[in-house]
Amino acid sequence: MAREFARVGVVGLGTMGAGIVEVFAKGGIEVVAVEVTEAAAAHGREQIESSTARAVSRGKLAEEDRAALLERVRVTTDMSELGDVALVVEAVPERLELKSEVFAELDKVCAADTIFASNTSSLSITELSVRTQRPSKVVGMHFFNPAPVQPLVELVRTVVTEPDVVDDVRALAERLGKSPVVCGDRAGFIANQLLFTYLNQAVGMFESHYAGREDLDAAMKFGCGYPMGPLALMDLIGLDTAYEILEEMYRQSRNQRHAPAPILKQMITAGLLGRKTGRGFYTYAEPGSSQVVADALTPPPPGSDDATLRPISRVGVVGTGTMATGIAEVFAKAGYDVVVRGRSESKGEGAVAAVRKSLEKAVVKGKLTEDARDETLARITTTVDFSGLAECDIVVEAIAEDLEVKQAAFSALDEVCKPGTILATTTSSLPVVECAAATSRPADVVGMHFFNPAAVMKLVEIVSPITTAPDVTATVRDLCARIKKAPVLCGDRAGFIVNALLFPYLNDSVAMLDAHYATVDDIDSAMKNGCGLPMGPFALLDVVGLDVSLAIERSLYQEFRVPGFAPTPLLEHLVTAGRLGRKTGHGFRDYR
């Protein structure tokens, strides 16, 4: 039987503490809330009253339920009033010594069987627990902000926490309508450890001028469906807060990927802390505002800069697979004449049939008229010879992800295409410069990485090796905007932007599992419910395919030689065993 928690305590009534009090009281539990001064206690009470009033105004809480909720809350400055509570949640500022003092004081006034929980987001629960006479009854209970809204609660066990304590607190969190996950005592726990490692890497990309802030953020929003880009999220969190979390993670792990990017310290010193100061990676209308305003780093819209653009009216597509047919559809729908090159007439006919099928679906759904469908199909012709692409202004290669095959195609295009034709590759992982080297016109070669399905996904990564002419990059960026895609610019490195940020995060998730730190379900739940991601890492890995993921991770490690990028043994073993994800029915989960 799970322990009953009829009366609990909360120490600290800042934003998080007040939110936690509201959660408990809404769940029918009496709460004793403690602050250090009468003024702080009154302010905390006001926060609870304001939050619940907003809930009433939005129709999420009845007025009588609000009155009952507030009746269950008692605010005091006397710590001794916690003597008869079954659980105390500490929610004071994120300083180890301050939290330790609170736990030592609680140890004196609370009953021997009272459970102590800390809402810390990064500090060691073990270090806090040893400041008490009851380390086996100390646990982390990390709510996410705003606590009344966010479903995730991370429950952090130490090596001496009693299993019954974890089980009882987990049952309590579920009773409160939360989605609890259990993990070991490691800096950052699940969500922050995975999230901030990814954010730190994105900051490093910005600092090295590999990609601009807007491009980094757009890449992860449109390429992965994330609710916010990494740099916009850093501004929301606060660069000082992010720095402190990364510092604590690095202190405990000594993992170089947790060491804060140097630019963070510089920005913090300059007072650029994010939204709360009105400037961070972006500039805001005023401190605390979410409205971004243009500044010196804001890039001009596609086609509006001073670069000369090459005229584009006829587009070639090499390939007849899923990606190639999607790209052909995108260009034809945008009004461009398209020539699809297939290895045989039947392959070309199949490509047109695939486009027709896609357009028919759009007609059925009311997203496209029959006239528009017919006009789009009329713009597509096919050829079996590379010479059929001779008059194209740009040719997009979308064939097998094999460097030798791609180089042969680029060599053939080099021979037949007119001077000034842009040659683009849709590779997702191979070096674009290697394709350029197969031609006598490397300045005309660029990466144009569409995401699958090309007809639906908005993102296109424009990859410019050192050989690409500036007007080629500018022309392709403008072209992407004309076909209603979201172009982002980056250099020619393995993974470009999206894969270079996404797959190390996925690999870190597998390493967590391999270390028995947390379960598949808890890690997935933490990232979905705590970070608002559309899928948890293991669900995504099973969709992508473990073999595909392994190949990408190997290419990233080969390029950067960062130890944390090396594929985890568990992933290697699953691929060897044929557990490749949904396509085989078995991956991190079973689907049959």
Side-chain angles (χ1 to χ4, degrees):
M1 289 290 292
R3 183 174 179 177
E4 276 294 324
F5 293 92
R7 186 178 173 83
V8 302
V10 176
V11 179
L13 282 176
T15 302
M16 283 305 304
I20 293 168
V21 169
E22 182 180 335
V23 169
F24 281 126
K26 187 178 180 181
I29 298 171
E30 291 185 20
V31 187
V32 179
V34 181
E35 256 296 357
V36 289
T37 66
E38 292 291 348
H43 179 68
R45 180 80 187 192
E46 288 173 7
Q47 286 193 80
I48 299 166
E49 291 174 349
S50 297
S51 176
T52 52
R54 286 194 300 272
V56 171
S57 68
R58 294 170 182 171
K60 296 183 178 180
L61 186 68
E63 184 59 57
E64 58 269 26
D65 291 334
R66 174 177 183 260
L69 183 159
L70 295 174
E71 187 68 26
R72 286 190 283 269
V73 177
R74 182 154 57 87
V75 180
T76 179
T77 58
D78 185 358
M79 191 83 83
S80 66
E81 294 194 35
L82 298 172
D84 61 347
V85 301
L87 166 75
V88 180
V89 178
E90 164 275 309
V92 300
E94 199 78 342
R95 299 199 302 273
L96 181 63
E97 284 309 312
L98 176 59
K99 290 179 183 288
S100 299
E101 290 172 9
V102 169
F103 272 78
E105 184 66 22
L106 289 172
D107 212 27
K108 298 175 183 177
V109 302
C110 293
D113 63 345
T114 299
I115 296 172
F116 292 170
S118 174
N119 184 57
T120 179
S121 61
S122 60
L123 298 177
S124 169
I125 302 301
T126 303
E127 290 189 42
L128 292 172
S129 72
V130 297
R131 309 297 178 98
T132 76
Q133 299 299 311
R134 64 187 87 195
S136 64
K137 295 189 182 301
V138 178
V139 67
M141 194 175 188
H142 178 215
F143 289 80
F144 282 65
N145 191 33
V149 176
Q150 292 281 12
L152 182 65
V153 176
E154 289 178 317
L155 304 180
V156 187
R157 63 179 187 275
T158 72
V159 292
V160 296
T161 305
E162 295 172 4
D164 285 352
V165 168
V166 176
D167 291 343
D168 290 345
V169 176
R170 181 167 196 155
L172 172 62
E174 290 172 345
R175 170 186 162 189
L176 297 172
K178 298 299 182 181
S179 298
V181 299
V182 177
C183 61
D185 186 18
R186 185 189 295 177
F189 312 138
I190 299 175
N192 281 352
Q193 186 176 153
L194 292 175
L195 175 67
F196 280 90
T197 309
Y198 148 73
L199 294 177
N200 199 38
Q201 186 184 345
V203 172
M205 281 186 172
F206 172 79
E207 184 174 23
S208 66
H209 301 284
Y210 175 69
R213 61 188 183 187
E214 285 87 355
D215 289 335
L216 285 163
D217 282 354
M220 300 312 289
K221 285 179 64 179
F222 295 119
C224 297
Y226 286 8
M228 295 183 75
L231 301 187
L233 181 55
M234 287 287 276
D235 277 356
L236 176 62
I237 292 168
L239 273 62
D240 51 343
T241 301
Y243 186 88
E244 290 173 3
I245 292 173
L246 285 165
E247 275 279 85
E248 181 61 24
M249 287 169 58
Y250 180 69
R251 184 185 74 82
Q252 292 190 36
S253 71
R254 290 294 183 260
N255 182 337
Q256 187 61 35
R257 294 172 62 219
H258 297 159
I263 195 174
L264 288 176
K265 185 69 170 179
Q266 298 170 33
M267 294 177 73
I268 291 167
T269 303
L272 309 179
L273 307 184
R275 287 190 187 182
K276 57 189 173 186
T277 59
R279 283 190 64 193
F281 288 102
Y282 293 90
T283 300
Y284 299 88
E286 60 183 10
S289 171
S290 62
Q291 181 186 348
V292 175
V293 297
D295 58 20
L297 296 181
T298 303
S304 65
D305 52 20
D306 296 331
T308 302
L309 303 180
R310 300 187 185 185
I312 304 291
S313 60
R314 191 172 181 83
V315 178
V317 177
V318 179
T320 55
T322 302
M323 184 60 75
T325 57
I327 293 170
E329 178 184 340
V330 167
F331 279 111
K333 282 169 69 175
Y336 292 92
D337 291 330
V338 180
V339 182
V340 177
R341 187 268 172 181
R343 287 176 294 172
S344 65
E345 289 185 5
S346 62
K347 289 284 187 181
E349 292 169 358
V352 175
V355 174
R356 181 182 292 107
K357 183 177 180 180
S358 175
L359 296 174
E360 289 287 359
K361 288 181 180 178
V363 171
V364 170
K365 294 177 180 178
K367 297 181 178 180
L368 192 70
T369 66
E370 293 184 359
D371 287 345
R373 173 201 62 197
D374 295 340
E375 290 169 3
T376 299
L377 288 170
R379 296 188 190 106
I380 302 175
T381 58
T382 64
T383 181
V384 296
D385 297 318
F386 279 102
S387 59
L389 304 172
E391 296 304 313
C392 290
D393 302 304
I394 182 171
V395 178
V396 182
E397 165 274 310
I399 55 179
E401 196 75 345
D402 182 300
L403 184 58
E404 290 185 4
V405 175
K406 289 182 183 292
Q407 286 179 322
F410 272 82
S411 178
L413 290 169
D414 188 37
E415 292 181 7
V416 303
C417 289
K418 65 183 181 181
T421 297
I422 296 174
L423 306 180
T425 174
T426 61
T427 181
S428 62
S429 59
L430 299 174
V432 177
V433 72
E434 296 278 6
C435 294
T439 75
S440 62
R441 55 174 97 187
D444 294 337
V445 178
V446 69
M448 198 174 182
H449 178 214
F450 287 80
F451 282 66
N452 194 33
V456 176
M457 297 292 285
K458 288 194 65 174
L459 184 67
V460 177
E461 289 178 317
I462 301 173
V463 186
S464 301
I466 57 174
T467 53
T468 304
D471 68 319
V472 169
T473 301
T475 299
V476 173
R477 183 169 181 253
D478 177 68
L479 179 62
C480 286
R482 291 179 185 276
I483 60 175
K484 295 182 171 56
K485 296 298 181 183
V488 298
L489 306 179
C490 64
D492 188 17
R493 295 194 328 202
F496 310 141
I497 297 176
V498 173
N499 284 352
L501 289 175
L502 175 64
F503 282 89
Y505 148 71
L506 296 176
N507 198 43
D508 289 343
S509 303
V510 180
M512 265 190 183
L513 178 67
D514 205 10
H516 304 284
Y517 178 70
T519 66
V520 165
D521 289 341
D522 280 353
I523 295 172
D524 271 1
S525 177
M527 300 315 291
K528 284 184 64 179
N529 294 317
C531 301
L533 303 189
M535 298 181 77
F538 297 106
L540 181 56
L541 280 161
D542 280 352
V543 169
V544 172
L546 274 60
D547 52 340
V548 174
S549 302
L550 178 60
I552 294 172
E553 288 175 12
R554 283 173 173 167
S555 71
L556 289 171
Y557 179 63
Q558 185 66 25
E559 176 100 347
F560 298 104
R561 308 301 172 95
V562 174
F565 286 8
T568 60
L570 177 58
L571 183 63
E572 301 260 13
H573 295 165
L574 289 169
V575 172
T576 301
R579 295 181 66 98
L580 307 183
R582 288 191 181 183
K583 59 189 174 186
T584 60
H586 304 281
F588 287 100
R589 293 184 174 89
D590 293 327
Y591 297 92
R592 293 177 181 170

